[in-house]
CSV table of all heavy atoms in Angstrom, one decimal:
chain,number,residue,atom,x,y,z
L,1,LEU,N,-1.8,17.9,-32.5
L,1,LEU,CA,-0.7,17.5,-31.6
L,1,LEU,C,-0.1,16.2,-32.1
L,1,LEU,O,1.2,16.1,-32.2
L,1,LEU,CB,-1.1,17.4,-30.2
L,1,LEU,CG,0.1,17.0,-29.2
L,1,LEU,CD1,1.1,18.1,-29.2
L,1,LEU,CD2,-0.5,16.8,-27.8
L,2,GLY,N,-0.9,15.3,-32.5
L,2,GLY,CA,-0.4,14.0,-33.0
L,2,GLY,C,0.4,14.2,-34.3
L,2,GLY,O,1.5,13.6,-34.5
L,3,ALA,N,-0.1,15.0,-35.2
L,3,ALA,CA,0.6,15.3,-36.5
L,3,ALA,C,2.0,16.0,-36.2
L,3,ALA,O,3.0,15.7,-36.8
L,3,ALA,CB,-0.2,16.2,-37.4
L,4,LEU,N,1.9,16.9,-35.2
L,4,LEU,CA,3.2,17.7,-34.9
L,4,LEU,C,4.2,16.7,-34.3
L,4,LEU,O,5.4,16.7,-34.6
L,4,LEU,CB,2.9,18.8,-33.9
L,4,LEU,CG,4.0,19.6,-33.3
L,4,LEU,CD1,4.8,20.3,-34.5
L,4,LEU,CD2,3.6,20.6,-32.3
L,5,VAL,N,3.7,15.9,-33.3
L,5,VAL,CA,4.6,14.9,-32.7
L,5,VAL,C,5.2,13.9,-33.7
L,5,VAL,O,6.4,13.6,-33.7
L,5,VAL,CB,3.9,14.2,-31.6
L,5,VAL,CG1,4.7,12.9,-31.1
L,5,VAL,CG2,3.7,15.1,-30.4
L,6,GLU,N,4.4,13.5,-34.6
L,6,GLU,CA,4.8,12.5,-35.7
L,6,GLU,C,5.9,13.1,-36.5
L,6,GLU,O,7.0,12.5,-36.8
L,6,GLU,CB,3.7,12.1,-36.5
L,6,GLU,CG,4.0,10.8,-37.4
L,6,GLU,CD,4.7,11.1,-38.6
L,6,GLU,OE1,4.6,12.2,-39.2
L,6,GLU,OE2,5.4,10.2,-39.1
L,7,VAL,N,5.7,14.4,-36.9
L,7,VAL,CA,6.7,15.0,-37.8
L,7,VAL,C,8.0,15.4,-37.0
L,7,VAL,O,9.1,15.2,-37.6
L,7,VAL,CB,6.1,16.3,-38.4
L,7,VAL,CG1,7.2,17.1,-39.1
L,7,VAL,CG2,5.0,16.0,-39.4
L,8,ALA,N,7.8,15.8,-35.8
L,8,ALA,CA,9.0,16.3,-35.1
L,8,ALA,C,9.8,15.2,-34.4
L,8,ALA,O,11.0,15.3,-34.3
L,8,ALA,CB,8.6,17.4,-34.0
L,9,VAL,N,9.1,14.2,-33.9
L,9,VAL,CA,9.8,13.2,-33.1
L,9,VAL,C,9.7,11.8,-33.7
L,9,VAL,O,10.7,11.1,-34.0
L,9,VAL,CB,9.2,13.2,-31.7
L,9,VAL,CG1,9.9,12.1,-30.8
L,9,VAL,CG2,9.4,14.5,-31.0
L,10,ILE,N,8.4,11.3,-33.9
L,10,ILE,CA,8.2,9.9,-34.3
L,10,ILE,C,8.9,9.5,-35.6
L,10,ILE,O,9.4,8.4,-35.8
L,10,ILE,CB,6.7,9.6,-34.3
L,10,ILE,CG1,6.0,10.0,-33.0
L,10,ILE,CG2,6.4,8.2,-34.7
L,10,ILE,CD1,6.6,9.2,-31.8
L,11,ARG,N,8.9,10.5,-36.5
L,11,ARG,CA,9.5,10.2,-37.9
L,11,ARG,C,10.9,9.7,-37.8
L,11,ARG,O,11.4,9.0,-38.7
L,11,ARG,CB,9.3,11.4,-38.7
L,11,ARG,CG,9.7,11.3,-40.2
L,11,ARG,CD,9.2,12.5,-41.0
L,11,ARG,NE,7.8,12.5,-41.2
L,11,ARG,CZ,7.2,13.5,-41.9
L,11,ARG,NH1,7.9,14.4,-42.5
L,11,ARG,NH2,5.9,13.5,-42.0
L,12,ARG,N,11.6,10.1,-36.7
L,12,ARG,CA,13.0,9.7,-36.6
L,12,ARG,C,13.2,8.4,-35.9
L,12,ARG,O,14.3,7.9,-35.7
L,12,ARG,CB,13.7,10.8,-35.7
L,12,ARG,CG,13.8,12.1,-36.5
L,12,ARG,CD,14.1,13.3,-35.5
L,12,ARG,NE,14.4,14.5,-36.3
L,12,ARG,CZ,13.4,15.3,-36.8
L,12,ARG,NH1,12.1,14.9,-36.7
L,12,ARG,NH2,13.7,16.4,-37.5
L,13,LEU,N,12.1,7.7,-35.6
L,13,LEU,CA,12.1,6.5,-34.8
L,13,LEU,C,11.8,5.2,-35.7
L,13,LEU,O,11.9,4.1,-35.2
L,13,LEU,CB,11.2,6.5,-33.6
L,13,LEU,CG,11.4,7.6,-32.6
L,13,LEU,CD1,10.3,7.6,-31.5
L,13,LEU,CD2,12.8,7.4,-31.9
L,14,TYR,N,11.3,5.4,-36.9
L,14,TYR,CA,10.9,4.3,-37.7
L,14,TYR,C,12.0,3.3,-38.0
L,14,TYR,O,11.7,2.1,-38.0
L,14,TYR,CB,10.2,4.7,-39.0
L,14,TYR,CG,9.0,5.6,-38.8
L,14,TYR,CD1,8.8,6.7,-39.5
L,14,TYR,CD2,8.0,5.2,-37.9
L,14,TYR,CE1,7.7,7.5,-39.3
L,14,TYR,CE2,6.9,5.9,-37.7
L,14,TYR,CZ,6.7,7.1,-38.4
L,14,TYR,OH,5.6,7.9,-38.2
L,15,GLY,N,13.2,3.7,-38.2
L,15,GLY,CA,14.3,2.8,-38.4
L,15,GLY,C,15.0,2.3,-37.2
L,15,GLY,O,16.0,1.6,-37.3
L,16,ARG,N,14.5,2.7,-36.0
L,16,ARG,CA,15.2,2.3,-34.8
L,16,ARG,C,14.5,1.1,-34.2
L,16,ARG,O,13.4,0.8,-34.6
L,16,ARG,CB,15.1,3.5,-33.8
L,16,ARG,CG,15.6,4.8,-34.4
L,16,ARG,CD,17.1,4.9,-34.6
L,16,ARG,NE,17.8,5.1,-33.3
L,16,ARG,CZ,18.0,6.2,-32.7
L,16,ARG,NH1,17.7,7.4,-33.3
L,16,ARG,NH2,18.7,6.3,-31.6
L,17,ASP,N,15.2,0.5,-33.2
L,17,ASP,CA,14.6,-0.7,-32.6
L,17,ASP,C,13.5,-0.3,-31.6
L,17,ASP,O,13.4,0.9,-31.3
L,17,ASP,CB,15.6,-1.6,-32.0
L,17,ASP,CG,16.4,-0.9,-30.9
L,17,ASP,OD1,15.9,0.0,-30.2
L,17,ASP,OD2,17.6,-1.2,-30.7
L,18,HIS,N,12.7,-1.2,-31.1
L,18,HIS,CA,11.6,-0.9,-30.2
L,18,HIS,C,12.0,-0.3,-28.9
L,18,HIS,O,11.3,0.5,-28.3
L,18,HIS,CB,10.8,-2.2,-29.9
L,18,HIS,CG,10.0,-2.7,-31.1
L,18,HIS,ND1,9.4,-1.8,-32.0
L,18,HIS,CD2,9.7,-3.9,-31.6
L,18,HIS,CE1,8.8,-2.4,-33.0
L,18,HIS,NE2,8.9,-3.7,-32.7
L,19,LEU,N,13.2,-0.6,-28.4
L,19,LEU,CA,13.7,0.0,-27.2
L,19,LEU,C,13.8,1.5,-27.3
L,19,LEU,O,13.4,2.3,-26.4
L,19,LEU,CB,15.0,-0.6,-26.7
L,19,LEU,CG,15.7,0.0,-25.4
L,19,LEU,CD1,14.7,-0.2,-24.3
L,19,LEU,CD2,17.0,-0.7,-25.2
L,20,ASP,N,14.4,2.0,-28.4
L,20,ASP,CA,14.5,3.4,-28.7
L,20,ASP,C,13.1,4.0,-28.8
L,20,ASP,O,12.9,5.2,-28.3
L,20,ASP,CB,15.2,3.7,-30.0
L,20,ASP,CG,16.7,3.3,-29.9
L,20,ASP,OD1,17.2,3.3,-28.8
L,20,ASP,OD2,17.3,3.1,-30.9
L,21,GLN,N,12.1,3.3,-29.4
L,21,GLN,CA,10.8,3.9,-29.5
L,21,GLN,C,10.1,4.0,-28.1
L,21,GLN,O,9.5,5.0,-27.8
L,21,GLN,CB,9.9,3.0,-30.4
L,21,GLN,CG,10.4,2.9,-31.8
L,21,GLN,CD,9.7,1.8,-32.6
L,21,GLN,OE1,8.8,1.1,-32.1
L,21,GLN,NE2,10.0,1.7,-33.9
L,22,VAL,N,10.4,3.0,-27.3
L,22,VAL,CA,9.8,3.0,-25.9
L,22,VAL,C,10.4,4.2,-25.1
L,22,VAL,O,9.7,4.9,-24.4
L,22,VAL,CB,10.1,1.7,-25.2
L,22,VAL,CG1,9.8,1.8,-23.7
L,22,VAL,CG2,9.2,0.6,-25.8
L,23,LEU,N,11.7,4.3,-25.2
L,23,LEU,CA,12.3,5.4,-24.4
L,23,LEU,C,11.9,6.8,-24.9
L,23,LEU,O,11.6,7.7,-24.1
L,23,LEU,CB,13.9,5.3,-24.5
L,23,LEU,CG,14.5,4.1,-23.8
L,23,LEU,CD1,16.0,4.0,-24.2
L,23,LEU,CD2,14.3,4.1,-22.3
L,24,ALA,N,11.8,7.0,-26.2
L,24,ALA,CA,11.4,8.3,-26.8
L,24,ALA,C,10.0,8.6,-26.4
L,24,ALA,O,9.7,9.7,-26.1
L,24,ALA,CB,11.6,8.3,-28.3
L,25,THR,N,9.1,7.6,-26.6
L,25,THR,CA,7.7,7.9,-26.3
L,25,THR,C,7.4,8.0,-24.8
L,25,THR,O,6.5,8.8,-24.4
L,25,THR,CB,6.7,6.8,-27.0
L,25,THR,OG1,7.2,5.5,-26.5
L,25,THR,CG2,6.8,6.9,-28.5
L,26,PHE,N,8.2,7.4,-24.0
L,26,PHE,CA,8.1,7.6,-22.6
L,26,PHE,C,8.5,9.0,-22.2
L,26,PHE,O,7.8,9.6,-21.3
L,26,PHE,CB,8.9,6.6,-21.8
L,26,PHE,CG,8.8,6.7,-20.3
L,26,PHE,CD1,7.7,6.3,-19.6
L,26,PHE,CD2,9.9,7.3,-19.6
L,26,PHE,CE1,7.6,6.5,-18.2
L,26,PHE,CE2,9.8,7.5,-18.2
L,26,PHE,CZ,8.7,7.1,-17.5
L,27,ALA,N,9.5,9.5,-22.9
L,27,ALA,CA,9.9,10.9,-22.6
L,27,ALA,C,8.8,11.8,-23.0
L,27,ALA,O,8.6,12.9,-22.4
L,27,ALA,CB,11.2,11.2,-23.4
L,28,LEU,N,8.1,11.5,-24.1
L,28,LEU,CA,7.0,12.3,-24.5
L,28,LEU,C,5.9,12.4,-23.5
L,28,LEU,O,5.2,13.4,-23.3
L,28,LEU,CB,6.4,11.8,-25.9
L,28,LEU,CG,7.2,12.1,-27.1
L,28,LEU,CD1,6.6,11.4,-28.3
L,28,LEU,CD2,7.2,13.6,-27.4
L,29,ILE,N,5.7,11.3,-22.8
L,29,ILE,CA,4.7,11.3,-21.7
L,29,ILE,C,5.0,12.4,-20.7
L,29,ILE,O,4.2,13.2,-20.3
L,29,ILE,CB,4.6,9.9,-21.0
L,29,ILE,CG1,4.1,8.8,-21.9
L,29,ILE,CG2,3.7,10.0,-19.7
L,29,ILE,CD1,4.1,7.4,-21.3
L,30,LEU,N,6.3,12.4,-20.2
L,30,LEU,CA,6.8,13.4,-19.2
L,30,LEU,C,6.7,14.8,-19.8
L,30,LEU,O,6.2,15.7,-19.1
L,30,LEU,CB,8.2,13.0,-18.8
L,30,LEU,CG,8.4,11.6,-18.3
L,30,LEU,CD1,9.9,11.4,-18.0
L,30,LEU,CD2,7.6,11.3,-17.1
L,31,ILE,N,7.1,15.0,-21.0
L,31,ILE,CA,7.0,16.3,-21.6
L,31,ILE,C,5.6,16.8,-21.7
L,31,ILE,O,5.3,18.0,-21.3
L,31,ILE,CB,7.7,16.3,-23.0
L,31,ILE,CG1,9.2,16.0,-22.8
L,31,ILE,CG2,7.5,17.6,-23.7
L,31,ILE,CD1,9.9,15.8,-24.1
L,32,LEU,N,4.7,16.0,-22.3
L,32,LEU,CA,3.3,16.4,-22.5
L,32,LEU,C,2.6,16.6,-21.1
L,32,LEU,O,1.8,17.5,-21.0
L,32,LEU,CB,2.6,15.4,-23.3
L,32,LEU,CG,3.1,15.4,-24.8
L,32,LEU,CD1,2.4,14.2,-25.6
L,32,LEU,CD2,2.8,16.7,-25.5
L,33,SER,N,2.9,15.8,-20.1
L,33,SER,CA,2.3,16.0,-18.8
L,33,SER,C,2.7,17.3,-18.2
L,33,SER,O,1.8,18.0,-17.7
L,33,SER,CB,2.7,14.8,-17.9
L,33,SER,OG,2.1,13.6,-18.4
L,34,GLU,N,4.0,17.6,-18.2
L,34,GLU,CA,4.5,18.8,-17.6
L,34,GLU,C,4.0,20.0,-18.4
L,34,GLU,O,3.6,21.1,-17.8
L,34,GLU,CB,6.0,18.8,-17.5
L,34,GLU,CG,6.5,17.8,-16.5
L,34,GLU,CD,5.9,18.0,-15.1
L,34,GLU,OE1,5.8,19.2,-14.7
L,34,GLU,OE2,5.5,17.0,-14.6
L,35,ALA,N,3.9,19.9,-19.8
L,35,ALA,CA,3.4,21.0,-20.6
L,35,ALA,C,1.9,21.3,-20.2
L,35,ALA,O,1.5,22.4,-20.1
L,35,ALA,CB,3.6,20.7,-22.0
L,36,THR,N,1.1,20.2,-20.1
L,36,THR,CA,-0.3,20.4,-19.7
L,36,THR,C,-0.4,21.0,-18.3
L,36,THR,O,-1.3,21.9,-18.1
L,36,THR,CB,-1.0,19.0,-19.7
L,36,THR,OG1,-0.8,18.4,-21.0
L,36,THR,CG2,-2.5,19.1,-19.4
L,37,ARG,N,0.4,20.6,-17.4
L,37,ARG,CA,0.4,21.2,-16.1
L,37,ARG,C,0.7,22.7,-16.1
L,37,ARG,O,0.2,23.5,-15.4
L,37,ARG,CB,1.3,20.4,-15.1
L,37,ARG,CG,1.3,20.9,-13.7
L,37,ARG,CD,2.2,20.1,-12.8
L,37,ARG,NE,1.6,18.8,-12.5
L,37,ARG,CZ,2.0,17.6,-12.9
L,37,ARG,NH1,3.1,17.6,-13.7
L,37,ARG,NH2,1.4,16.5,-12.6
L,38,TRP,N,1.7,23.0,-17.0
L,38,TRP,CA,2.1,24.4,-17.1
L,38,TRP,C,1.0,25.2,-17.7
L,38,TRP,O,0.8,26.4,-17.3
L,38,TRP,CB,3.3,24.5,-18.0
L,38,TRP,CG,3.8,25.8,-18.2
L,38,TRP,CD1,4.4,26.7,-17.3
L,38,TRP,CD2,3.8,26.5,-19.5
L,38,TRP,NE1,4.7,27.9,-17.9
L,38,TRP,CE2,4.4,27.8,-19.3
L,38,TRP,CE3,3.4,26.2,-20.8
L,38,TRP,CZ2,4.5,28.8,-20.3
L,38,TRP,CZ3,3.5,27.2,-21.8
L,38,TRP,CH2,4.0,28.4,-21.5
L,39,VAL,N,0.2,24.7,-18.7
L,39,VAL,CA,-0.8,25.5,-19.3
L,39,VAL,C,-2.1,25.6,-18.4
L,39,VAL,O,-2.7,26.6,-18.3
L,39,VAL,CB,-1.2,24.8,-20.7
L,39,VAL,CG1,-2.4,25.5,-21.3
L,39,VAL,CG2,0.0,24.9,-21.6
L,40,PHE,N,-2.5,24.4,-17.8
L,40,PHE,CA,-3.8,24.4,-17.2
L,40,PHE,C,-3.7,24.4,-15.6
L,40,PHE,O,-4.7,24.5,-14.9
L,40,PHE,CB,-4.6,23.1,-17.6
L,40,PHE,CG,-4.9,23.1,-19.0
L,40,PHE,CD1,-4.2,22.4,-20.0
L,40,PHE,CD2,-6.0,23.9,-19.5
L,40,PHE,CE1,-4.6,22.4,-21.3
L,40,PHE,CE2,-6.4,23.9,-20.8
L,40,PHE,CZ,-5.7,23.2,-21.7
L,41,GLY,N,-2.5,24.2,-15.1
L,41,GLY,CA,-2.3,24.1,-13.7
L,41,GLY,C,-2.4,22.7,-13.2
L,41,GLY,O,-2.7,21.8,-13.9
L,42,SER,N,-2.2,22.6,-11.8
L,42,SER,CA,-2.2,21.2,-11.2
L,42,SER,C,-3.5,20.8,-10.8
L,42,SER,O,-3.7,19.6,-10.4
L,42,SER,CB,-1.2,21.2,-10.1
L,42,SER,OG,0.1,21.5,-10.5
L,43,PHE,N,-4.5,21.7,-10.7
L,43,PHE,CA,-5.8,21.3,-10.2
L,43,PHE,C,-6.7,20.7,-11.3
L,43,PHE,O,-6.6,21.1,-12.4
L,43,PHE,CB,-6.5,22.6,-9.6
L,43,PHE,CG,-5.8,23.1,-8.4
L,43,PHE,CD1,-5.0,24.2,-8.5
L,43,PHE,CD2,-6.0,22.5,-7.1
L,43,PHE,CE1,-4.4,24.7,-7.4
L,43,PHE,CE2,-5.3,23.0,-6.0
L,43,PHE,CZ,-4.5,24.1,-6.1
L,44,PRO,N,-7.5,19.7,-10.9
L,44,PRO,CA,-8.4,19.1,-11.9
L,44,PRO,C,-9.4,20.1,-12.5
L,44,PRO,O,-9.8,21.0,-11.9
L,44,PRO,CB,-9.1,18.0,-11.2
L,44,PRO,CG,-8.2,17.8,-9.9
L,44,PRO,CD,-7.6,19.1,-9.6
L,45,LEU,N,-9.8,19.9,-13.8
L,45,LEU,CA,-10.9,20.6,-14.4
L,45,LEU,C,-12.1,19.7,-14.4
L,45,LEU,O,-12.0,18.4,-14.3
L,45,LEU,CB,-10.5,21.0,-15.8
L,45,LEU,CG,-9.3,21.9,-16.0
L,45,LEU,CD1,-9.1,22.2,-17.5
L,45,LEU,CD2,-9.4,23.1,-15.2
L,46,TYR,N,-13.3,20.3,-14.5
L,46,TYR,CA,-14.5,19.5,-14.5
L,46,TYR,C,-15.3,19.9,-15.7
L,46,TYR,O,-15.5,21.0,-16.0
L,46,TYR,CB,-15.3,19.7,-13.2
L,46,TYR,CG,-14.5,19.2,-12.0
L,46,TYR,CD1,-13.7,20.1,-11.2
L,46,TYR,CD2,-14.6,17.9,-11.6
L,46,TYR,CE1,-13.0,19.6,-10.1
L,46,TYR,CE2,-13.9,17.4,-10.5
L,46,TYR,CZ,-13.1,18.3,-9.8
L,46,TYR,OH,-12.4,17.8,-8.7
L,47,LEU,N,-15.9,18.8,-16.3
L,47,LEU,CA,-16.6,19.0,-17.5
L,47,LEU,C,-18.0,18.5,-17.3
L,47,LEU,O,-18.3,17.4,-16.9
L,47,LEU,CB,-15.9,18.1,-18.6
L,47,LEU,CG,-16.5,18.2,-20.0
L,47,LEU,CD1,-16.5,19.6,-20.6
L,47,LEU,CD2,-15.8,17.2,-20.9
């Protein structure tokens, strides 16, 4: 997932300022959280 995110998203941020990086990676938090909830559901898992 890290390699995919770097190629698809992060690679476009290297020449941008830190504010753009913060906004883009914050958006990734929301996207990955909702994607995880969609795949595994809202209930906790136990290991």
Side-chain angles (χ1 to χ4, degrees):
L1 180 61
L4 177 63
V5 166
E6 195 279 334
V7 171
V9 179
I10 302 300
R11 187 169 288 182
R12 292 162 174 77
L13 300 175
Y14 296 134
R16 311 288 286 271
D17 60 31
H18 288 323
L19 178 59
D20 291 339
Q21 296 172 359
V22 167
L23 291 174
T25 53
F26 180 75
L28 283 173
I29 294 177
L30 304 179
I31 293 170
L32 292 175
S33 293
E34 290 307 312
T36 303
R37 183 178 285 111
W38 177 68
V39 173
F40 295 101
S42 299
F43 294 101
L45 302 182
Y46 295 94
L47 182 61

